[in-house]
Amino acid sequence: MKSKLAVLFAGFALSLSVSAADAPATEFTIVIKNHRFEPAEVTVPAGKKVKLVVDNQDATPEEFESHDLKREKVIAGNTKATIAIGPLKAGSYDFVGEYNEDTAKGKIVAQ
Ligand SMILES: [Cu+2]
């Protein structure tokens, strides 16, 4: 039993160190408020996996939708969702709030 536990802990420590290695500055928060994204433009590092935390502060649900990023996710009112993207090539990637497309527009700029 002891040796099995030691192997488990070694594996756990290894996975911790691996995730720590690509952790820095990879999380970006976008707020939804009054059916708009704030900020409407987010600059992320190209060639890296990043996480978008989309914080819907409106009472109504919104759908984060991006054909460019091949992502769509419904976010209930007053909740947050995390969307993993990348690694992206340098460029501009549009997204919208599909339930309020006239006002909820934004883009990710990878550079
Ligand atoms: Cu959709």
Side-chain angles (χ1 to χ4, degrees):
M1 278 310 263
K2 262 187 183 173
S3 60
K4 268 190 183 173
L5 263 182
V7 170
L8 270 178
F9 276 116
F12 183 60
L14 189 66
S15 65
L16 275 184
S17 63
V18 168
S19 60
D22 60 9
T26 52
E27 199 171 286
F28 299 85
T29 297
I30 301 170
V31 170
I32 297 170
K33 215 172 179 177
N34 301 319
H35 309 311
R36 290 175 191 277
F37 292 109
E38 295 175 14
E41 185 173 323
V42 179
T43 301
V44 305
K48 285 195 173 182
K49 289 184 182 179
V50 302
K51 282 181 186 172
L52 303 178
V53 176
V54 184
D55 179 2
N56 184 6
Q57 296 184 3
D58 282 340
T60 53
E62 185 55 277
E63 184 179 72
F64 178 98
E65 164 125 10
S66 174
H67 297 290
D68 293 351
L69 295 165
K70 299 186 178 68
R71 291 289 181 278
E72 64 177 348
K73 186 155 193 156
V74 175
I75 307 154
N78 294 311
T79 65
K80 292 180 187 180
T82 301
I83 299 166
I85 60 168
L88 298 174
K89 291 180 186 168
S92 179
Y93 302 82
D94 290 338
F95 60 86
V96 297
E98 200 183 12
Y99 300 158
N100 298 279
E101 265 186 274
D102 292 343
T103 53
K105 302 172 199 282
K107 63 179 167 179
I108 302 292
V109 176
Q111 62 184 24

